[in-house]
Amino acid sequence: MRKLAAAAAVFLTLAAPATAAAAACPRTSVADVEPEVMCIECGVPLDVAGDAPTAKRERAFINQLISQCRTKDQIKAALAGQFGDRVLASPKSKGFGLTAWAVPAVAFLAACALIAASALRWRRNRARPAGPAGTGTPDAPDPPLTVPPSPDSARLDADLRRYDL
């Protein structure tokens, strides 16, 4: 019984550092990194690239870094160092890469402002009553619309009286 307890104690003592090391290693996989990096040969995200030779080299490099317990950001930085900045799917948020983020945001805000201004102008023009014959004076009422009676309306009135409708 003592031998079994001693063996269990030795096993737990040896297994504890391995478990701690595994817990300290970040859980990164190739599938986590692939959508955020590009195949530099194909010009598409690595998860779509297929079996291009460059894509295979990038995946092998990613697997090597994962086995070294690197985080996703460390792997992306190493890929950029190995293959250049073209390998990153999203541009950096400094320098010229900042314009790739700023221009669409500014364009979206400008479009929203233009739509809001157009809606306010349209609503303001719609709420104002028009003056007579396009004079532009909202104070004058529109003249009543008079339509001369047609010959058919007299016949229709006679038919309605005849059927008592």
Side-chain angles (χ1 to χ4, degrees):
M1 188 70 152
R2 284 186 182 188
K3 287 183 182 182
L4 183 61
V10 169
F11 176 73
L12 290 175
T13 304
L14 294 175
T19 307
C25 186
R27 300 276 182 193
T28 305
S29 68
V30 177
D32 288 339
V33 180
E34 278 183 332
E36 298 182 18
V37 295
M38 304 289 282
C39 173
I40 57 174
E41 184 179 324
C42 307
V44 296
L46 193 58
D47 58 348
V48 181
D51 291 333
T54 308
K56 287 181 181 179
R57 283 191 322 153
E58 289 181 33
R59 286 189 190 102
F61 188 66
I62 292 170
N63 277 324
Q64 178 186 2
L65 294 173
I66 288 172
S67 67
Q68 296 173 3
C69 289
R70 301 279 179 98
T71 64
K72 187 191 296 189
D73 290 332
Q74 290 172 337
I75 292 171
K76 288 171 35 178
L79 280 167
Q82 180 76 18
F83 297 101
D85 284 340
R86 292 184 324 145
V87 77
L88 300 176
S90 60
K92 292 187 176 186
S93 58
K94 60 183 177 183
F96 183 73
L98 182 62
T99 59
W101 294 105
V103 169
V106 169
F108 176 75
L109 292 175
C112 288
L114 182 65
I115 290 170
S118 298
L120 288 173
R121 186 175 182 184
W122 173 76
R123 189 170 180 201
R124 191 177 331 120
N125 287 342
R126 190 169 165 240
R128 186 174 17 162
T135 59
T137 57
D139 298 336
D142 288 338
L145 184 63
T146 56
V147 178
S150 69
D152 292 332
S153 66
R155 190 170 37 133
L156 179 63
D157 289 338
D159 284 344
L160 286 175
R161 279 192 300 272
R162 187 172 22 157
Y163 293 114
D164 288 329
L165 295 175

